[in-house]
């Protein structure tokens, strides 16, 4: 995926754009570029490589303009190269564009433009955009040689109407040097505003140090920006009003604050993230509150099926939450991978409730699945960490995790916040439905409130995990085993390890081991077992015994009484209600992935080939 930043104001744009790009590098980091307006001409400096390399280029010092756009790329169309890096300009050097998303019909558009004499210098889909804008601009000028910003807006709008696909665009023009136009469709873009300055970005944290006041665009809404003015337009170019949203996140939370990496910082932020996400929603003696979710008993009684739909780590949070919903609400709950759900003709009707979990709120597959569910009559709830994100604008209801900005590609605090939120949602529904045992709910609430402290205690394992990482960092394969809710944590632990240490790992329900994977177990292989469910612990121990017999090295994460001497390493975590155990048992596994990655000298926060927010299919 890509990240875009823009600035229009009274200061030199380049340093602001570079700082923004550095913060957005998690979204893509194979090339970077900046374009500014310089004395009525457009300048572009770009190349493959990271933002740091762009910053060190000689030409970057020539960029003095106060209007600029910038981009960090994660290649989709065309390899990482200077030619393919953004910004892209049209043949006449009139328009410069950065783009996050994918133009699906770029081939047709490119043919049309080539037939009209345009030449292309890159392999990207994006290069059609400035040329298409110019194509309409030329037509306009042929009819009417008027140079108002309305002309600029009209030609950008005309181009957008031709484009199929997803895009967040920033466009500047040498003919309109005081303006910038931005528009989005199915790709993220936020606008930060101050008196004489406007900041544009793919996400809030990248520009949070400048302003807390943000505007959010809906699909195909256009913003015409000047340093001291913003006007918004719908697709028909009627002017529309937009409300400013005040974002409460602390700017410091987007910095490393003395930690070596964002991931480590975010792991240690989990007690706060959980405390903030619980907020005032839970107290032992009162009913759980979700003001933003005004569902009645009648509406909930009408629901006969719940889907939880998400991707990656967010999907694992859904798996960890499925059981608590079924147990407390007695409504069958299915967890689906968004990219599968959207193409498998799922059974949805007006008795279905679909819950979509997404840290960023911008994951393309999750948004598409949401649109499908909504179209088929389902009620939809978005769970996101980002206020105003696309998913929250599409869903009937939105509830937020308050984990604060998560910068590292590998998700940690967002996962545990999602798990706690789904637990609270289950309690909220159960209390409205008056279905479950009051004492059971009361106990669960008590345990939820104790969680931040227990997470703090779990961090005591860090040093031992670090030492264990030193022993296994050169391994080629690692297995994660668990049963029930522990298996969902095995999945997430295995994903963390793959993502940032590049070690091949598999997660299995412990009982499935004997149906094939045990053939892979040989002397010295590492097997990690998660044992927190009292009812299943003996069964899992038996399965782990089988791998010990075959020479495996074992690490156990547990809060149960088991014969510790059987295993090579045992990490004891605090006792906790089984529904909440993923929030504690994942912590040693997050730390393990982190320390292995460090031991291997890898870039923990920006693992190869991955992007934090996957805004294309
Ligand atoms: C990407 C990230 C994962 C994340 C997934 C879903 O694959 O690398 O860390 O879990 O997207 O992201 P979301 O923002 O929808 O939670």
């Amino acid at each position: 995926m890509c990240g875009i930043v823009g600035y229009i104001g009274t200061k030199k744009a380049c340093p602001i754009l570079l700082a923004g790009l550095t913060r957005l590098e998690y979204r893509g980091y194979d090339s970077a570029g900046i374009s500014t307006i310089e004395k009525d001409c457009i300048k572009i400096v770009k190349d493959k490589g990271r933002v740091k390399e762009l910053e060190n280029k000689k030409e970057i010092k020539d960029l003095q303009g106060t209007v600029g756009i910038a981009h960090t790329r994660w290649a989709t169309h065309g390899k990482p190269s200077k030619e393919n890096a953004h910004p892209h300009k049209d043949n006449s050097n009139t328009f410069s564009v950065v783009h996050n998303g994918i133009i699906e019909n770029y081939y047709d558009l490119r043919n049309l433009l080539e037939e009209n004499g345009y030449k292309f210098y890159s392999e990207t889909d994006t290069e059609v955009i400035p040329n298409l804008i110019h194509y309409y601009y030329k037509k306009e000028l042929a009819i009417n040689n008027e140079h108002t910003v309305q002309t600029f807006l009209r030609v950008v709008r005309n181009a957008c109407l031709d484009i199929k696909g997803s895009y967040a665009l920033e466009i500047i023009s040498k003919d309109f040097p005081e303006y910038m136009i931005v528009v989005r469709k199915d790709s993220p873009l936020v606008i930060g505003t101050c008196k004489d300055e406007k900041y544009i970005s793919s996400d809030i944290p990248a520009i949070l140090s400048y302003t807390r006041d943000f505007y959010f665009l809906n699909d195909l809404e256009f913003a015409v920006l000047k340093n001291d003015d913003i006007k918004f337009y719908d697709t028909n170019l009627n002017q529309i009003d937009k409300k400013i949203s005040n974002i409460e996140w602390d700017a410091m939370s987007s910095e490393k604050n003395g930690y070596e990496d964002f991931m480590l910082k975010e792991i240690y932020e989990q007690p706060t993230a959980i405390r903030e996400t619980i907020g005032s929603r839970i107290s032992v003696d009162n009913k759980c509150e979700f003001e933003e979710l005004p569902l009645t008993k009648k509406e909930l009684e009408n629901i006969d099926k719940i889907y939880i739909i998400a991707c990656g780590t967010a999907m694992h949070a859904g798996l960890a939450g499925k059981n608590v919903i079924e147990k407390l609400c007695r409504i069958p709950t299915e967890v689906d991978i968004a990219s599968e759900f959207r193409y498998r003709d799922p059974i949805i009707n007006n008795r279905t409730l679909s819950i979509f979990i997404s840290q960023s709120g911008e994951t393309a597959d999750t948004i598409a699945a949401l649109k499908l569910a909504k179209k088929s009559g389902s009620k939809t709830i978005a769970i996101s960490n980002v206020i105003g994100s696309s998913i929250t604008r599409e869903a009937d209801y939105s509830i937020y995790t308050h984990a604060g900005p998560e910068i590292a590609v590998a998700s940690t605090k967002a996962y545990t916040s999602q798990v706690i939120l789904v637990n609270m949602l289950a309690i909220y529904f159960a209390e409205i439905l008056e279905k479950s045992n009051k004492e059971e709910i009361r106990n669960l609430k008590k345990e939820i409130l104790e969680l931040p402290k227990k997470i703090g205690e779990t961090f005591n394992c860090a040093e031992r995990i670090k030492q264990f990482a030193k022993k296994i960092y050169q391994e080629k394969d690692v297995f994660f085993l668990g049963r029930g809710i522990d298996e969902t944590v095995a999945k997430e632990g295995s994903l963390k390890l793959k993502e940032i240490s590049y070690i091949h790992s598999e997660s299995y329900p412990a009982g499935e081991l004997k149906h094939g994977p045990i053939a892979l177990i040989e002397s010295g292989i590492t097997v990690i077992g998660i044992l927190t469910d009292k009812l299943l612990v003996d069964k899992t121990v038996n399965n782990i015994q089988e791998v010990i017999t075959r020479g495996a090295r074992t690490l156990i994460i547990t809060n149960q009484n088991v014969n510790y001497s059987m295993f090579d390493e045992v990490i004891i975590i605090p006792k906790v209600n089984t529904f909440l155990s993923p929030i504690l048992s994942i912590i040693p596994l997050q730390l393990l992935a982190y320390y292995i990655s460090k031991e291997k000298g890898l870039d923990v926060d920006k693992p190869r080939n991955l992007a934090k927010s996957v805004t294309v299919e």
Side-chain angles (χ1 to χ4, degrees):
M1 283 3 65
C2 309
I4 62 175
V5 203
Y7 174 76
I8 179 160
T10 48
K11 301 193 190 95
K12 221 162 96 174
C14 183
I16 295 168
L17 296 173
L18 284 168
L21 284 186
T22 307
R23 293 203 176 98
L24 283 181
E25 242 192 346
Y26 73 86
R27 299 178 61 87
Y29 28 85
D30 61 43
S31 10
I34 289 188
S35 176
T36 52
I37 302 217
E38 303 291 329
K39 298 201 183 72
D40 298 350
C41 80
I42 280 176
K43 276 219 171 129
I44 295 181
V45 182
K46 61 181 186 177
D47 213 337
K48 70 172 184 192
R50 293 215 163 168
V51 177
K52 200 84 213 132
E53 294 161 56
L54 181 73
E55 201 169 341
N56 291 334
K57 280 188 170 296
K58 219 166 66 241
E59 314 91 277
I60 210 88
K61 301 205 171 55
D62 302 337
L63 303 182
Q64 301 292 328
T66 57
V67 178
I69 56 179
H71 188 271
T72 174
R73 179 168 187 253
W74 191 78
T76 49
H77 285 79
K79 59 186 179 299
S81 69
K82 182 170 181 173
E83 296 68 39
N84 290 336
H86 297 216
H88 288 281
K89 56 185 182 165
D90 70 293
N91 288 176
S92 74
N93 290 342
T94 308
F95 299 100
S96 182
V97 171
V98 291
H99 166 219
N100 170 212
I102 285 191
I103 308 299
E104 285 161 10
N105 59 339
Y106 92 103
Y107 210 72
D108 297 342
L109 294 173
R110 190 167 163 146
N111 283 342
L112 171 116
L113 290 164
E114 277 172 345
E115 279 162 21
N116 282 278
Y118 288 85
K119 296 221 165 352
F120 287 87
Y121 302 94
S122 77
E123 302 157 296
T124 65
D125 52 343
T126 302
E127 203 184 354
V128 300
I129 303 172
N131 285 305
L132 191 60
I133 294 172
H134 181 262
Y135 168 80
Y136 282 113
Y137 187 51
K138 230 172 47 184
K139 280 192 170 179
E140 282 262 343
L141 293 187
I143 309 168
N144 171 2
N145 202 3
E146 194 193 11
H147 266 71
T148 72
V149 71
Q150 292 304 319
T151 317
F152 186 14
L153 174 62
R154 210 159 36 241
V155 298
V156 169
R157 191 280 308 258
N158 289 350
C160 286
L161 292 183
D162 285 351
I163 296 170
K164 292 203 178 84
S166 59
Y167 46 86
L169 298 175
E170 296 169 356
I171 307 136
I172 52 175
S173 168
K174 76 167 174 52
D175 287 358
F176 306 94
E178 289 169 15
Y179 292 94
M180 180 187 304
I181 295 185
V182 302
V183 53
R184 64 177 288 277
K185 182 180 163 277
D186 297 332
S187 284
L189 184 144
V190 299
I191 302 169
T193 179
C194 319
K195 194 162 160 268
D196 289 326
E197 293 170 302
K198 307 290 167 267
Y199 299 85
I200 302 92
S201 172
S202 297
D203 76 13
I204 295 168
I207 51 176
L208 199 57
S209 54
Y210 308 110
T211 180
R212 299 287 173 83
D213 293 331
F214 284 84
Y215 288 108
F216 302 109
L217 295 179
N218 290 323
D219 278 355
L220 275 169
E221 286 178 350
F222 297 80
V224 177
L225 311 171
K226 255 185 116 182
N227 67 337
D228 55 357
D229 188 36
I230 305 190
K231 289 198 169 53
F232 298 100
Y233 298 87
D234 66 13
T235 322
N236 300 320
L237 302 189
N238 298 315
Q239 201 174 329
I240 49 174
D241 285 335
K242 287 251 147 209
K243 272 211 213 106
I244 290 186
S245 302
N246 188 266
I247 300 296
E248 287 170 6
W249 284 353
D250 172 6
M252 282 307 284
S253 56
S254 327
E255 308 296 335
K256 280 190 198 158
N257 270 350
Y259 282 91
E260 244 179 90
D261 303 278
F262 278 112
M263 182 178 175
L264 192 63
K265 174 179 168 254
E266 288 160 8
I267 289 173
Y268 279 96
E269 279 174 346
Q270 289 178 104
T272 313
I274 295 291
R275 199 176 290 117
E276 293 288 318
T277 301
I278 298 169
S280 56
R281 285 161 171 159
I282 293 274
S283 63
V284 178
D285 296 318
N286 297 310
K287 285 201 168 159
C288 178
E289 281 181 34
F290 275 95
E291 272 172 16
E292 56 287 48
L293 204 56
L295 290 173
T296 61
K297 185 172 182 193
K298 199 157 162 236
E299 281 172 308
L300 279 176
E301 278 171 348
N302 185 46
I303 302 296
D304 61 9
K305 176 163 200 170
I306 296 179
Y307 282 114
I308 304 181
I309 299 142
C311 300
T313 290
M315 193 276 292
H316 293 160
L319 287 173
K322 165 190 155 87
N323 289 1
V324 67
I325 297 182
E326 290 196 333
K327 177 77 199 305
L328 301 187
C329 309
R330 309 310 298 156
I331 304 175
T333 304
E334 246 182 72
V335 181
D336 241 293
I337 295 170
S339 55
E340 292 291 316
F341 179 84
R342 61 184 289 197
Y343 294 118
R344 73 168 173 78
D345 195 9
I347 300 167
I348 314 169
N349 55 40
N350 61 3
R351 297 178 66 95
T352 314
L353 173 68
S354 308
I355 303 171
F356 298 83
I357 310 180
S358 173
Q359 186 284 128
S360 62
E362 302 296 346
T363 301
D365 284 318
T366 311
I367 296 169
L370 193 160
K371 287 181 178 166
L372 170 77
K374 210 170 153 182
K375 206 167 113 206
S376 313
S378 169
K379 271 201 177 12
T380 54
I381 300 177
I383 295 182
S384 177
N385 195 38
V386 181
I387 294 175
S389 55
S390 300
I391 200 174
T392 65
R393 287 198 297 266
E394 290 286 342
D396 297 324
Y397 308 100
S398 298
I399 52 180
Y400 290 98
T401 49
H402 295 289
E406 193 180 65
I407 311 289
V409 166
S411 180
T412 52
K413 61 176 181 172
Y415 166 78
T416 44
S417 302
Q418 288 157 352
V419 175
I420 194 73
L421 198 61
V422 176
N423 270 273
M424 295 195 293
L425 202 56
I427 295 176
Y428 177 65
F429 289 162
E431 285 181 333
I432 296 176
L433 286 165
E434 295 173 325
K435 266 199 179 155
S436 65
N437 179 311
K438 287 208 172 105
E439 207 38 42
E440 187 178 14
I441 290 194
R442 198 182 144 81
N443 285 338
L444 185 55
K445 284 177 172 172
K446 261 195 193 155
E447 294 227 28
I448 287 177
L449 293 169
E450 285 165 8
L451 268 175
K453 187 167 153 270
K454 289 188 180 173
I455 298 173
E457 290 163 18
T458 310
F459 290 141
N460 292 337
C461 71
E463 190 48 41
R464 290 186 50 214
I465 289 285
K466 193 172 178 180
Q467 295 313 319
F468 191 76
K470 286 193 177 92
K471 288 186 200 154
I472 70 161
Y473 75 98
Q474 284 171 321
E475 293 292 303
K476 296 273 171 290
D477 306 282
V478 173
F479 286 80
F480 290 77
L481 302 179
R483 283 174 184 251
I485 203 150
D486 292 332
E487 196 253 327
T488 72
V489 176
K491 280 197 162 68
E492 175 57 10
S494 169
L495 178 64
K496 284 291 87 87
L497 190 69
K498 284 189 192 85
E499 283 180 314
I500 60 167
S501 78
Y502 316 150
I503 294 178
H504 167 248
S505 68
E506 303 258 2
S507 64
Y508 268 97
E512 270 294 290
L513 194 70
K514 55 188 171 299
H515 298 293
I518 200 160
L520 299 169
I521 303 295
E522 53 188 17
S523 184
I525 207 154
T526 301
V527 175
I528 298 175
I530 302 119
L531 302 163
T532 70
D533 188 336
K534 200 161 98 196
L535 302 175
L536 300 170
V537 64
D538 292 342
K539 307 260 175 230
T540 314
V541 168
N542 286 343
N543 299 128
I544 297 177
Q545 181 65 61
E546 289 163 19
V547 302
I548 293 175
T549 311
R550 286 159 182 85
R553 171 186 9 221
T554 52
L555 164 70
I556 300 301
I557 316 290
T558 189
N559 53 13
Q560 300 298 313
N561 294 326
V562 287
N563 176 6
Y564 300 150
S565 64
M566 284 171 65
F567 311 107
D568 296 293
E569 194 72 54
V570 178
I571 298 292
I572 299 171
I573 60 170
K575 283 211 180 312
V576 70
N577 182 300
T578 308
F579 294 135
L580 305 174
S581 69
I583 295 168
L584 302 185
S585 56
I586 194 59
I587 287 171
L589 302 180
Q590 294 169 341
L591 287 166
L592 182 66
Y594 174 80
Y595 284 121
I596 290 178
S597 180
K598 290 303 273 185
E599 205 57 47
K600 292 178 89 168
L602 301 173
D603 187 341
V604 175
D605 288 338
K606 296 178 192 126
R608 72 180 179 206
N609 305 341
L610 297 180
K612 176 124 194 97
S613 178
V614 183
T615 51
V616 293
E617 193 177 339

